[in-house]
Amino acid sequence: MGVRLNEDRETVKKVREGLAAKDGYCPCRLERIPENKCICEEFRRQIADPDFEGYCHCMLYYKERD
């Protein structure tokens, strides 16, 4: 399994700026709850799924299939 940053540097820059502005919480989510702290709970579940391949919700990370 491999998790990597999005190859689009502009997307990574914008998401990281959003994370910094929201104290590490996903900039794409409204609620500042533990489940939305980067790496968010949704993507952690997707990482655990051997059949999942794709980006996290905010497009910062990409998970390759096992």
Side-chain angles (χ1 to χ4, degrees), residues 19-64:
L19 285 167
K22 290 185 74 176
D23 298 319
Y25 290 92
C26 180
C28 305
R29 309 280 184 173
L30 295 177
E31 296 180 294
R32 290 188 186 198
I33 57 176
E35 294 87 346
N36 293 342
K37 191 85 167 187
C38 190
I39 291 176
C40 69
E41 178 67 30
E42 177 185 14
F43 194 55
R44 282 180 281 177
R45 284 193 310 269
Q46 291 170 329
I47 290 170
D49 179 355
D51 294 325
F52 176 79
E53 182 169 359
Y55 288 99
C56 67
H57 180 79
C58 66
M59 303 284 290
L60 180 61
Y61 295 107
Y62 184 85
K63 187 240 178 187
E64 296 171 346

mmCIF file of all heavy atoms in Angstrom, residues 19-64:
data_model
loop_
_atom_site.group_PDB
_atom_site.id
_atom_site.type_symbol
_atom_site.label_atom_id
_atom_site.label_comp_id
_atom_site.label_asym_id
_atom_site.label_seq_id
_atom_site.Cartn_x
_atom_site.Cartn_y
_atom_site.Cartn_z
ATOM 1 N N LEU A 19 -5.216 23.845 5.938
ATOM 2 C CA LEU A 19 -4.942 23.096 7.167
ATOM 3 C C LEU A 19 -4.308 24.001 8.219
ATOM 4 O O LEU A 19 -4.668 23.945 9.399
ATOM 5 C CB LEU A 19 -4.013 21.911 6.879
ATOM 6 C CG LEU A 19 -4.636 20.716 6.170
ATOM 7 C CD1 LEU A 19 -3.554 19.765 5.671
ATOM 8 C CD2 LEU A 19 -5.601 19.984 7.087
ATOM 9 N N ALA A 20 -3.385 24.836 7.807
ATOM 10 C CA ALA A 20 -2.732 25.750 8.743
ATOM 11 C C ALA A 20 -3.739 26.744 9.324
ATOM 12 O O ALA A 20 -3.712 27.041 10.518
ATOM 13 C CB ALA A 20 -1.593 26.497 8.050
ATOM 14 N N ALA A 21 -4.647 27.220 8.495
ATOM 15 C CA ALA A 21 -5.650 28.185 8.940
ATOM 16 C C ALA A 21 -6.673 27.563 9.879
ATOM 17 O O ALA A 21 -7.268 28.266 10.703
ATOM 18 C CB ALA A 21 -6.358 28.805 7.736
ATOM 19 N N LYS A 22 -6.864 26.250 9.769
ATOM 20 C CA LYS A 22 -7.869 25.563 10.591
ATOM 21 C C LYS A 22 -7.229 24.634 11.624
ATOM 22 O O LYS A 22 -7.847 23.690 12.087
ATOM 23 C CB LYS A 22 -8.831 24.778 9.707
ATOM 24 C CG LYS A 22 -9.753 25.687 8.894
ATOM 25 C CD LYS A 22 -10.774 24.918 8.111
ATOM 26 C CE LYS A 22 -11.851 24.380 9.019
ATOM 27 N NZ LYS A 22 -12.914 23.693 8.268
ATOM 28 N N ASP A 23 -5.988 24.918 11.998
ATOM 29 C CA ASP A 23 -5.289 24.163 13.043
ATOM 30 C C ASP A 23 -5.246 22.659 12.778
ATOM 31 O O ASP A 23 -5.406 21.855 13.693
ATOM 32 C CB ASP A 23 -5.910 24.427 14.419
ATOM 33 C CG ASP A 23 -5.805 25.886 14.824
ATOM 34 O OD1 ASP A 23 -4.746 26.496 14.578
ATOM 35 O OD2 ASP A 23 -6.779 26.422 15.379
ATOM 36 N N GLY A 24 -5.051 22.286 11.519
ATOM 37 C CA GLY A 24 -4.900 20.874 11.175
ATOM 38 C C GLY A 24 -6.181 20.147 10.837
ATOM 39 O O GLY A 24 -6.155 18.968 10.510
ATOM 40 N N TYR A 25 -7.300 20.847 10.898
ATOM 41 C CA TYR A 25 -8.575 20.238 10.529
ATOM 42 C C TYR A 25 -8.778 20.401 9.029
ATOM 43 O O TYR A 25 -8.372 21.402 8.440
ATOM 44 C CB TYR A 25 -9.737 20.874 11.293
ATOM 45 C CG TYR A 25 -9.713 20.523 12.752
ATOM 46 C CD1 TYR A 25 -9.068 21.340 13.671
ATOM 47 C CD2 TYR A 25 -10.311 19.366 13.215
ATOM 48 C CE1 TYR A 25 -9.011 21.019 15.014
ATOM 49 C CE2 TYR A 25 -10.267 19.033 14.559
ATOM 50 C CZ TYR A 25 -9.618 19.866 15.449
ATOM 51 O OH TYR A 25 -9.565 19.520 16.769
ATOM 52 N N CYS A 26 -9.415 19.421 8.422
ATOM 53 C CA CYS A 26 -9.642 19.426 6.985
ATOM 54 C C CYS A 26 -10.306 20.735 6.561
ATOM 55 O O CYS A 26 -11.367 21.088 7.085
ATOM 56 C CB CYS A 26 -10.501 18.230 6.587
ATOM 57 S SG CYS A 26 -10.829 18.148 4.817
ATOM 58 N N PRO A 27 -9.699 21.451 5.621
ATOM 59 C CA PRO A 27 -10.292 22.710 5.179
ATOM 60 C C PRO A 27 -11.587 22.523 4.395
ATOM 61 O O PRO A 27 -12.335 23.484 4.195
ATOM 62 C CB PRO A 27 -9.199 23.327 4.298
ATOM 63 C CG PRO A 27 -8.353 22.193 3.869
ATOM 64 C CD PRO A 27 -8.430 21.164 4.958
ATOM 65 N N CYS A 28 -11.873 21.305 3.989
ATOM 66 C CA CYS A 28 -13.081 21.013 3.219
ATOM 67 C C CYS A 28 -14.277 20.691 4.114
ATOM 68 O O CYS A 28 -15.388 20.519 3.621
ATOM 69 C CB CYS A 28 -12.830 19.830 2.283
ATOM 70 S SG CYS A 28 -11.428 20.067 1.192
ATOM 71 N N ARG A 29 -14.050 20.577 5.401
ATOM 72 C CA ARG A 29 -15.112 20.213 6.349
ATOM 73 C C ARG A 29 -15.451 21.409 7.226
ATOM 74 O O ARG A 29 -14.573 22.189 7.600
ATOM 75 C CB ARG A 29 -14.656 19.054 7.244
ATOM 76 C CG ARG A 29 -14.096 17.863 6.514
ATOM 77 C CD ARG A 29 -15.193 17.005 5.977
ATOM 78 N NE ARG A 29 -14.592 15.810 5.368
ATOM 79 C CZ ARG A 29 -15.286 14.811 4.929
ATOM 80 N NH1 ARG A 29 -16.590 14.834 4.994
ATOM 81 N NH2 ARG A 29 -14.687 13.786 4.384
ATOM 82 N N LEU A 30 -16.714 21.531 7.570
ATOM 83 C CA LEU A 30 -17.154 22.653 8.391
ATOM 84 C C LEU A 30 -16.860 22.456 9.872
ATOM 85 O O LEU A 30 -16.478 23.396 10.562
ATOM 86 C CB LEU A 30 -18.652 22.898 8.192
ATOM 87 C CG LEU A 30 -19.071 23.336 6.786
ATOM 88 C CD1 LEU A 30 -20.581 23.475 6.706
ATOM 89 C CD2 LEU A 30 -18.384 24.625 6.380
ATOM 90 N N GLU A 31 -17.048 21.236 10.354
ATOM 91 C CA GLU A 31 -16.906 20.972 11.779
ATOM 92 C C GLU A 31 -15.456 20.699 12.169
ATOM 93 O O GLU A 31 -14.756 19.968 11.488
ATOM 94 C CB GLU A 31 -17.754 19.766 12.185
ATOM 95 C CG GLU A 31 -19.237 19.963 12.020
ATOM 96 C CD GLU A 31 -19.991 18.724 12.434
ATOM 97 O OE1 GLU A 31 -19.831 17.695 11.754
ATOM 98 O OE2 GLU A 31 -20.702 18.793 13.450
ATOM 99 N N ARG A 32 -15.065 21.268 13.282
ATOM 100 C CA ARG A 32 -13.742 20.984 13.850
ATOM 101 C C ARG A 32 -13.915 19.921 14.924
ATOM 102 O O ARG A 32 -13.978 20.221 16.116
ATOM 103 C CB ARG A 32 -13.116 22.239 14.418
ATOM 104 C CG ARG A 32 -12.715 23.222 13.345
ATOM 105 C CD ARG A 32 -11.926 24.366 13.908
ATOM 106 N NE ARG A 32 -11.672 25.355 12.876
ATOM 107 C CZ ARG A 32 -10.747 26.271 12.956
ATOM 108 N NH1 ARG A 32 -9.989 26.348 14.016
ATOM 109 N NH2 ARG A 32 -10.574 27.130 11.974
ATOM 110 N N ILE A 33 -14.000 18.699 14.462
ATOM 111 C CA ILE A 33 -14.170 17.544 15.346
ATOM 112 C C ILE A 33 -13.003 16.585 15.093
ATOM 113 O O ILE A 33 -12.382 16.633 14.031
ATOM 114 C CB ILE A 33 -15.528 16.842 15.122
ATOM 115 C CG1 ILE A 33 -15.674 16.401 13.666
ATOM 116 C CG2 ILE A 33 -16.684 17.768 15.542
ATOM 117 C CD1 ILE A 33 -16.939 15.607 13.362
ATOM 118 N N PRO A 34 -12.695 15.718 16.059
ATOM 119 C CA PRO A 34 -11.544 14.821 15.902
ATOM 120 C C PRO A 34 -11.551 14.024 14.594
ATOM 121 O O PRO A 34 -10.488 13.799 14.009
ATOM 122 C CB PRO A 34 -11.639 13.894 17.106
ATOM 123 C CG PRO A 34 -12.365 14.687 18.136
ATOM 124 C CD PRO A 34 -13.343 15.542 17.364
ATOM 125 N N GLU A 35 -12.709 13.640 14.122
ATOM 126 C CA GLU A 35 -12.806 12.858 12.893
ATOM 127 C C GLU A 35 -12.330 13.624 11.662
ATOM 128 O O GLU A 35 -11.992 13.032 10.645
ATOM 129 C CB GLU A 35 -14.251 12.383 12.660
ATOM 130 C CG GLU A 35 -14.739 11.397 13.685
ATOM 131 C CD GLU A 35 -15.346 12.055 14.925
ATOM 132 O OE1 GLU A 35 -15.160 13.284 15.138
ATOM 133 O OE2 GLU A 35 -15.987 11.344 15.695
ATOM 134 N N ASN A 36 -12.299 14.952 11.756
ATOM 135 C CA ASN A 36 -11.904 15.794 10.628
ATOM 136 C C ASN A 36 -10.478 16.313 10.722
ATOM 137 O O ASN A 36 -10.055 17.109 9.898
ATOM 138 C CB ASN A 36 -12.869 16.979 10.490
ATOM 139 C CG ASN A 36 -14.250 16.531 10.086
ATOM 140 O OD1 ASN A 36 -14.437 15.425 9.590
ATOM 141 N ND2 ASN A 36 -15.236 17.373 10.313
ATOM 142 N N LYS A 37 -9.730 15.854 11.725
ATOM 143 C CA LYS A 37 -8.318 16.234 11.849
ATOM 144 C C LYS A 37 -7.526 15.450 10.811
ATOM 145 O O LYS A 37 -7.700 14.252 10.649
ATOM 146 C CB LYS A 37 -7.830 15.919 13.264
ATOM 147 C CG LYS A 37 -6.485 16.478 13.606
ATOM 148 C CD LYS A 37 -6.608 17.896 14.077
ATOM 149 C CE LYS A 37 -5.295 18.338 14.707
ATOM 150 N NZ LYS A 37 -5.388 19.620 15.310
ATOM 151 N N CYS A 38 -6.662 16.109 10.076
ATOM 152 C CA CYS A 38 -5.888 15.476 9.002
ATOM 153 C C CYS A 38 -4.853 14.501 9.599
ATOM 154 O O CYS A 38 -4.180 14.845 10.554
ATOM 155 C CB CYS A 38 -5.182 16.555 8.189
ATOM 156 S SG CYS A 38 -4.415 15.957 6.681
ATOM 157 N N ILE A 39 -4.728 13.336 9.122
ATOM 158 C CA ILE A 39 -5.455 12.598 8.104
ATOM 159 C C ILE A 39 -6.811 12.202 8.699
ATOM 160 O O ILE A 39 -6.864 11.531 9.720
ATOM 161 C CB ILE A 39 -4.686 11.352 7.651
ATOM 162 C CG1 ILE A 39 -3.445 11.723 6.880
ATOM 163 C CG2 ILE A 39 -5.550 10.409 6.858
ATOM 164 C CD1 ILE A 39 -2.553 10.557 6.469
ATOM 165 N N CYS A 40 -7.885 12.572 8.027
ATOM 166 C CA CYS A 40 -9.232 12.419 8.579
ATOM 167 C C CYS A 40 -9.640 10.944 8.726
ATOM 168 O O CYS A 40 -9.066 10.051 8.107
ATOM 169 C CB CYS A 40 -10.249 13.155 7.716
ATOM 170 S SG CYS A 40 -10.507 12.430 6.085
ATOM 171 N N GLU A 41 -10.636 10.739 9.567
ATOM 172 C CA GLU A 41 -11.150 9.390 9.828
ATOM 173 C C GLU A 41 -11.637 8.722 8.546
ATOM 174 O O GLU A 41 -11.391 7.542 8.323
ATOM 175 C CB GLU A 41 -12.291 9.462 10.849
ATOM 176 C CG GLU A 41 -12.935 8.130 11.153
ATOM 177 C CD GLU A 41 -11.999 7.170 11.868
ATOM 178 O OE1 GLU A 41 -11.112 7.625 12.605
ATOM 179 O OE2 GLU A 41 -12.155 5.951 11.686
ATOM 180 N N GLU A 42 -12.303 9.480 7.677
ATOM 181 C CA GLU A 42 -12.794 8.908 6.421
ATOM 182 C C GLU A 42 -11.649 8.316 5.596
ATOM 183 O O GLU A 42 -11.730 7.195 5.114
ATOM 184 C CB GLU A 42 -13.522 9.974 5.602
ATOM 185 C CG GLU A 42 -14.004 9.474 4.255
ATOM 186 C CD GLU A 42 -14.614 10.575 3.393
ATOM 187 O OE1 GLU A 42 -14.441 11.774 3.699
ATOM 188 O OE2 GLU A 42 -15.278 10.222 2.405
ATOM 189 N N PHE A 43 -10.545 9.054 5.468
ATOM 190 C CA PHE A 43 -9.442 8.559 4.664
ATOM 191 C C PHE A 43 -8.704 7.421 5.362
ATOM 192 O O PHE A 43 -8.226 6.496 4.710
ATOM 193 C CB PHE A 43 -8.482 9.684 4.279
ATOM 194 C CG PHE A 43 -7.524 9.304 3.183
ATOM 195 C CD1 PHE A 43 -7.990 8.820 1.966
ATOM 196 C CD2 PHE A 43 -6.161 9.418 3.351
ATOM 197 C CE1 PHE A 43 -7.115 8.461 0.941
ATOM 198 C CE2 PHE A 43 -5.276 9.068 2.333
ATOM 199 C CZ PHE A 43 -5.758 8.585 1.130
ATOM 200 N N ARG A 44 -8.641 7.447 6.684
ATOM 201 C CA ARG A 44 -8.027 6.322 7.404
ATOM 202 C C ARG A 44 -8.791 5.030 7.137
ATOM 203 O O ARG A 44 -8.195 3.967 6.973
ATOM 204 C CB ARG A 44 -7.936 6.602 8.898
ATOM 205 C CG ARG A 44 -6.775 7.551 9.228
ATOM 206 C CD ARG A 44 -6.694 7.808 10.690
ATOM 207 N NE ARG A 44 -7.729 8.798 10.969
ATOM 208 C CZ ARG A 44 -8.022 9.262 12.156
ATOM 209 N NH1 ARG A 44 -7.389 8.826 13.211
ATOM 210 N NH2 ARG A 44 -8.949 10.170 12.320
ATOM 211 N N ARG A 45 -10.114 5.123 7.070
ATOM 212 C CA ARG A 45 -10.919 3.933 6.716
ATOM 213 C C ARG A 45 -10.651 3.509 5.283
ATOM 214 O O ARG A 45 -10.554 2.317 4.981
ATOM 215 C CB ARG A 45 -12.414 4.211 6.909
ATOM 216 C CG ARG A 45 -12.863 4.199 8.348
ATOM 217 C CD ARG A 45 -14.376 4.160 8.490
ATOM 218 N NE ARG A 45 -15.067 5.164 7.702
ATOM 219 C CZ ARG A 45 -15.387 6.385 8.122
ATOM 220 N NH1 ARG A 45 -15.055 6.769 9.338
ATOM 221 N NH2 ARG A 45 -16.027 7.216 7.333
ATOM 222 N N GLN A 46 -10.522 4.480 4.390
ATOM 223 C CA GLN A 46 -10.230 4.157 2.991
ATOM 224 C C GLN A 46 -8.838 3.529 2.859
ATOM 225 O O GLN A 46 -8.655 2.597 2.076
ATOM 226 C CB GLN A 46 -10.344 5.414 2.130
ATOM 227 C CG GLN A 46 -11.771 5.894 2.004
ATOM 228 C CD GLN A 46 -11.890 7.255 1.357
ATOM 229 O OE1 GLN A 46 -10.991 8.103 1.487
ATOM 230 N NE2 GLN A 46 -12.996 7.492 0.667
ATOM 231 N N ILE A 47 -7.876 4.007 3.617
ATOM 232 C CA ILE A 47 -6.536 3.423 3.598
ATOM 233 C C ILE A 47 -6.594 1.958 4.031
ATOM 234 O O ILE A 47 -5.905 1.109 3.465
ATOM 235 C CB ILE A 47 -5.574 4.222 4.512
ATOM 236 C CG1 ILE A 47 -5.277 5.585 3.907
ATOM 237 C CG2 ILE A 47 -4.278 3.445 4.758
ATOM 238 C CD1 ILE A 47 -4.530 6.526 4.846
ATOM 239 N N ALA A 48 -7.409 1.665 5.012
ATOM 240 C CA ALA A 48 -7.523 0.299 5.532
ATOM 241 C C ALA A 48 -8.214 -0.642 4.553
ATOM 242 O O ALA A 48 -8.068 -1.861 4.666
ATOM 243 C CB ALA A 48 -8.274 0.314 6.861
ATOM 244 N N ASP A 49 -8.955 -0.113 3.601
ATOM 245 C CA ASP A 49 -9.672 -0.924 2.618
ATOM 246 C C ASP A 49 -8.715 -1.315 1.491
ATOM 247 O O ASP A 49 -8.289 -0.460 0.718
ATOM 248 C CB ASP A 49 -10.850 -0.130 2.054
ATOM 249 C CG ASP A 49 -11.649 -0.875 0.999
ATOM 250 O OD1 ASP A 49 -11.264 -1.997 0.610
ATOM 251 O OD2 ASP A 49 -12.665 -0.316 0.545
ATOM 252 N N PRO A 50 -8.388 -2.605 1.364
ATOM 253 C CA PRO A 50 -7.434 -3.016 0.327
ATOM 254 C C PRO A 50 -7.936 -2.773 -1.095
ATOM 255 O O PRO A 50 -7.134 -2.717 -2.032
ATOM 256 C CB PRO A 50 -7.218 -4.505 0.598
ATOM 257 C CG PRO A 50 -8.388 -4.933 1.398
ATOM 258 C CD PRO A 50 -8.870 -3.729 2.149
ATOM 259 N N ASP A 51 -9.235 -2.602 -1.272
ATOM 260 C CA ASP A 51 -9.797 -2.387 -2.606
ATOM 261 C C ASP A 51 -9.909 -0.919 -2.997
ATOM 262 O O ASP A 51 -10.217 -0.597 -4.132
ATOM 263 C CB ASP A 51 -11.177 -3.042 -2.710
ATOM 264 C CG ASP A 51 -11.107 -4.551 -2.604
ATOM 265 O OD1 ASP A 51 -10.110 -5.131 -3.100
ATOM 266 O OD2 ASP A 51 -12.016 -5.147 -2.008
ATOM 267 N N PHE A 52 -9.681 -0.025 -2.031
ATOM 268 C CA PHE A 52 -9.812 1.408 -2.325
ATOM 269 C C PHE A 52 -8.557 1.934 -2.993
ATOM 270 O O PHE A 52 -7.431 1.657 -2.577
ATOM 271 C CB PHE A 52 -10.074 2.216 -1.052
ATOM 272 C CG PHE A 52 -10.123 3.701 -1.308
ATOM 273 C CD1 PHE A 52 -11.249 4.298 -1.834
ATOM 274 C CD2 PHE A 52 -9.016 4.499 -1.060
ATOM 275 C CE1 PHE A 52 -11.294 5.663 -2.099
ATOM 276 C CE2 PHE A 52 -9.038 5.867 -1.314
ATOM 277 C CZ PHE A 52 -10.177 6.445 -1.829
ATOM 278 N N GLU A 53 -8.754 2.721 -4.026
ATOM 279 C CA GLU A 53 -7.672 3.487 -4.640
ATOM 280 C C GLU A 53 -8.240 4.845 -4.992
ATOM 281 O O GLU A 53 -9.290 4.949 -5.627
ATOM 282 C CB GLU A 53 -7.129 2.814 -5.895
ATOM 283 C CG GLU A 53 -5.980 3.585 -6.507
ATOM 284 C CD GLU A 53 -5.247 2.825 -7.603
ATOM 285 O OE1 GLU A 53 -5.609 1.681 -7.898
ATOM 286 O OE2 GLU A 53 -4.311 3.402 -8.172
ATOM 287 N N GLY A 54 -7.584 5.900 -4.559
ATOM 288 C CA GLY A 54 -8.049 7.231 -4.893
ATOM 289 C C GLY A 54 -7.593 8.274 -3.897
ATOM 290 O O GLY A 54 -6.781 8.006 -3.020
ATOM 291 N N TYR A 55 -8.142 9.479 -4.061
ATOM 292 C CA TYR A 55 -7.771 10.626 -3.250
ATOM 293 C C TYR A 55 -8.617 10.707 -1.985
ATOM 294 O O TYR A 55 -9.765 10.262 -1.954
ATOM 295 C CB TYR A 55 -7.982 11.919 -4.040
ATOM 296 C CG TYR A 55 -6.972 12.121 -5.139
ATOM 297 C CD1 TYR A 55 -7.281 11.809 -6.458
ATOM 298 C CD2 TYR A 55 -5.713 12.621 -4.860
ATOM 299 C CE1 TYR A 55 -6.353 11.998 -7.469
ATOM 300 C CE2 TYR A 55 -4.773 12.815 -5.866
ATOM 301 C CZ TYR A 55 -5.103 12.497 -7.166
ATOM 302 O OH TYR A 55 -4.187 12.678 -8.152
ATOM 303 N N CYS A 56 -8.043 11.359 -0.982
ATOM 304 C CA CYS A 56 -8.824 11.708 0.193
ATOM 305 C C CYS A 56 -9.811 12.815 -0.208
ATOM 306 O O CYS A 56 -9.728 13.370 -1.304
ATOM 307 C CB CYS A 56 -7.914 12.151 1.337
ATOM 308 S SG CYS A 56 -7.030 13.708 1.058
ATOM 309 N N HIS A 57 -10.703 13.149 0.695
ATOM 310 C CA HIS A 57 -11.766 14.113 0.417
ATOM 311 C C HIS A 57 -11.226 15.455 -0.090
ATOM 312 O O HIS A 57 -11.753 16.024 -1.041
ATOM 313 C CB HIS A 57 -12.601 14.322 1.686
ATOM 314 C CG HIS A 57 -13.716 15.285 1.513
ATOM 315 N ND1 HIS A 57 -14.903 14.950 0.911
ATOM 316 C CD2 HIS A 57 -13.817 16.589 1.848
ATOM 317 C CE1 HIS A 57 -15.690 16.006 0.894
ATOM 318 N NE2 HIS A 57 -15.066 17.000 1.453
ATOM 319 N N CYS A 58 -10.145 15.935 0.512
ATOM 320 C CA CYS A 58 -9.638 17.265 0.132
ATOM 321 C C CYS A 58 -8.591 17.208 -0.978
ATOM 322 O O CYS A 58 -8.066 18.249 -1.373
ATOM 323 C CB CYS A 58 -9.087 17.986 1.353
ATOM 324 S SG CYS A 58 -7.618 17.222 2.055
ATOM 325 N N MET A 59 -8.292 16.012 -1.449
ATOM 326 C CA MET A 59 -7.369 15.802 -2.574
ATOM 327 C C MET A 59 -5.894 16.007 -2.206
ATOM 328 O O MET A 59 -5.047 16.156 -3.072
ATOM 329 C CB MET A 59 -7.717 16.706 -3.767
ATOM 330 C CG MET A 59 -9.128 16.547 -4.294
ATOM 331 S SD MET A 59 -9.354 15.067 -5.256
ATOM 332 C CE MET A 59 -8.406 15.436 -6.706
ATOM 333 N N LEU A 60 -5.566 16.000 -0.909
ATOM 334 C CA LEU A 60 -4.174 16.159 -0.502
ATOM 335 C C LEU A 60 -3.397 14.853 -0.690
ATOM 336 O O LEU A 60 -2.275 14.866 -1.167
ATOM 337 C CB LEU A 60 -4.092 16.600 0.954
ATOM 338 C CG LEU A 60 -2.679 16.817 1.530
ATOM 339 C CD1 LEU A 60 -1.948 17.904 0.764
ATOM 340 C CD2 LEU A 60 -2.767 17.163 3.011
ATOM 341 N N TYR A 61 -4.017 13.740 -0.301
ATOM 342 C CA TYR A 61 -3.354 12.438 -0.360
ATOM 343 C C TYR A 61 -4.000 11.520 -1.375
ATOM 344 O O TYR A 61 -5.201 11.626 -1.636
ATOM 345 C CB TYR A 61 -3.415 11.741 1.011
ATOM 346 C CG TYR A 61 -2.645 12.466 2.089
ATOM 347 C CD1 TYR A 61 -3.315 13.163 3.082
ATOM 348 C CD2 TYR A 61 -1.260 12.436 2.112
ATOM 349 C CE1 TYR A 61 -2.622 13.817 4.078
ATOM 350 C CE2 TYR A 61 -0.554 13.092 3.098
ATOM 351 C CZ TYR A 61 -1.239 13.780 4.078
ATOM 352 O OH TYR A 61 -0.545 14.430 5.055
ATOM 353 N N TYR A 62 -3.197 10.602 -1.893
ATOM 354 C CA TYR A 62 -3.672 9.586 -2.822
ATOM 355 C C TYR A 62 -3.228 8.227 -2.296
ATOM 356 O O TYR A 62 -2.069 8.043 -1.941
ATOM 357 C CB TYR A 62 -3.087 9.797 -4.227
ATOM 358 C CG TYR A 62 -3.621 8.833 -5.245
ATOM 359 C CD1 TYR A 62 -4.821 9.091 -5.896
ATOM 360 C CD2 TYR A 62 -2.961 7.658 -5.552
ATOM 361 C CE1 TYR A 62 -5.338 8.218 -6.838
ATOM 362 C CE2 TYR A 62 -3.463 6.772 -6.476
ATOM 363 C CZ TYR A 62 -4.653 7.051 -7.112
ATOM 364 O OH TYR A 62 -5.164 6.176 -8.017
ATOM 365 N N LYS A 63 -4.152 7.295 -2.248
ATOM 366 C CA LYS A 63 -3.838 5.934 -1.819
ATOM 367 C C LYS A 63 -3.876 5.007 -3.027
ATOM 368 O O LYS A 63 -4.849 4.958 -3.755
ATOM 369 C CB LYS A 63 -4.831 5.452 -0.770
ATOM 370 C CG LYS A 63 -4.437 4.099 -0.156
ATOM 371 C CD LYS A 63 -5.485 3.078 -0.387
ATOM 372 C CE LYS A 63 -5.069 1.721 0.171
ATOM 373 N NZ LYS A 63 -6.004 0.692 -0.180
ATOM 374 N N GLU A 64 -2.772 4.274 -3.218
ATOM 375 C CA GLU A 64 -2.702 3.282 -4.278
ATOM 376 C C GLU A 64 -3.188 1.957 -3.734
ATOM 377 O O GLU A 64 -3.002 1.640 -2.556
ATOM 378 C CB GLU A 64 -1.259 3.162 -4.783
ATOM 379 C CG GLU A 64 -0.781 4.454 -5.414
ATOM 380 C CD GLU A 64 0.689 4.458 -5.732
ATOM 381 O OE1 GLU A 64 1.419 3.562 -5.233
ATOM 382 O OE2 GLU A 64 1.132 5.358 -6.451
#
